[in-house]
């Protein structure tokens, strides 16, 4: 497979931080590749380790990788009968794992990343941007979130899951859709803000669930049109108070903001990697303080 997204491919691994990336839509999906290019162009040492095929909705499933079947990887990105794990011949930072998203990011964290980083470990994990939202009741079933939760909870690596409401599955070698570039720019903004805030990037056992609203040809056409809103993963009707944000101790529900409001919004929920629900107020506050430069009120 030959990638058309090689911005930064020639850069030596001497700048930025080490980032492992995965998704559940597949390693050849244009949305993940566009974000990979944005991160790489900024100087980060990014390694993509994602499923050989679309594995949407597989949650936290994990299984030993197997040989690719006769149909090959998605979008004919590897031939039938290829090994259980493989690498792009023109850019070894792009890797597939013929299994679930959790297995893919685990392989990247344990093996692929360290092999390219001279034995060093990932400093941050990012997943997506997913093709389609992952809000509220969708969270437990999302492979994009499942991979981020594995990184945060099991591997102890701060993790951010990104998802975008607009778009359809698209191969890496097609023209980059408008929403894919907008979502990559938004994801880079969040990632850069967290990195700039300093280590530890996130509290222990915390992941961020970030969702981007709808992009159309006439609305929300660039990243600067969006406002970032702090939200909750679950509604929290009977939960303890949230961190104080915009004069309230009850954060809005991410599903309400993404689906029921017409403005250009992106939601950021502080998730508990133990159970994929909303983290407690103390950990919310730590994260919201880090994100303060980009957060807005509804």
């Amino acid at each position: 497979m030959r990638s058309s997204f090689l911005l930064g491919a020639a850069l030596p691994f001497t700048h930025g931080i080490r980032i492992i990336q995965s998704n559940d839509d597949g390693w050849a999906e244009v949305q993940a590749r566009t974000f990979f290019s944005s991160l790489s162009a900024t100087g980060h040492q990014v390694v993509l380790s994602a499923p050989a095929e679309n594995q949407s909705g597989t949650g936290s499933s994990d299984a030993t990788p197997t040989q690719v079947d006769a149909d090959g990887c998605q979008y004919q990105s590897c031939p039938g009968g290829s090994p259980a794990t493989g690498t792009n011949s023109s850019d070894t930072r792009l890797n597939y794992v013929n299994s679930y998203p959790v297995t893919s990011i685990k392989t990247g964290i344990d093996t692929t990343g360290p092999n390219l980083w001279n034995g060093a470990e990932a400093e941050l994990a990012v997943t997506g941007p997913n093709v389609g939202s992952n809000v509220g009741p969708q969270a437990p079933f999302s492979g994009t979130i499942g991979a981020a939760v594995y990184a945060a909870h099991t591997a102890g690596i701060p993790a951010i899951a990104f998802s975008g409401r607009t778009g359809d599955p698209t191969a890496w070698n097609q023209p980059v859709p408008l929403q894919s570039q907008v979502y990559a720019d938004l994801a880079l903004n969040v990632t850069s803000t967290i990195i700039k805030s300093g280590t530890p990037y996130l509290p222990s056992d915390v992941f961020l669930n970030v969702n981007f609203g709808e992009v159309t040809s006439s609305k929300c056409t660039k990243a600067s049109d969006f406002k970032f809103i702090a939200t909750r993963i679950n509604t929290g009707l009977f939960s303890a108070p949230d961190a104080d944000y915009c004069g309230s101790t009850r954060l809005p529900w991410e599903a309400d903001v993404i689906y029921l409001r017409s403005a250009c919004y992106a939601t950021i929920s502080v998730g508990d990697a133990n159970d994929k629900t909303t983290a407690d107020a103390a950990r919310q506050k730590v994260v919201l303080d880090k994100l303060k430069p980009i957060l807005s009120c509804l």
Side-chain angles (χ1 to χ4, degrees), residues 22-53:
S22 193
N23 70 351
D24 71 4
D25 296 310
W27 81 308
E29 177 59 47
V30 70
Q31 205 120 292
R33 292 294 183 89
T34 307
F35 185 32
F36 173 90
S37 294
S38 295
L39 287 168
S40 298
T42 309
H44 295 300
Q45 305 168 40
V46 193
V47 173
L48 175 71
S49 181
E53 295 282 354

Side-chain angles (χ1 to χ4, degrees), residues 79-196:
S82 292
T85 61
T87 297
N88 183 307
S89 60
S90 61
D91 189 345
T92 57
R93 300 172 301 165
L94 302 172
N95 298 270
Y96 75 79
V97 177
N98 194 31
S99 186
Y100 297 112
V102 164
T103 314
S104 300
I105 201 167
K106 178 167 65 173
T107 302
I109 290 169
D110 293 345
T111 305
T112 315
N115 285 345
L116 290 170
W117 297 325
N118 297 317
E121 299 178 346
E123 297 169 274
L124 181 69
V126 296
T127 59
N130 189 72
V131 179
S133 301
N134 280 310
V135 294
Q138 298 166 324
F141 308 103
S142 164
T144 294
I145 291 178
V149 165
Y150 173 86
H153 180 67
T154 305
I157 299 169
I160 311 173
F162 294 103
S163 302
R165 181 177 176 182
T166 302
D168 298 302
T170 304
W172 89 99
N173 56 359
Q174 299 301 306
V176 177
L178 173 62
Q179 75 275 354
S180 297
Q181 188 59 63
V182 172
Y183 293 157
D185 292 343
L186 289 166
L188 180 63
N189 192 350
V190 175
T191 304
S192 299
T193 301
I194 288 294
I195 293 171
K196 187 176 180 180

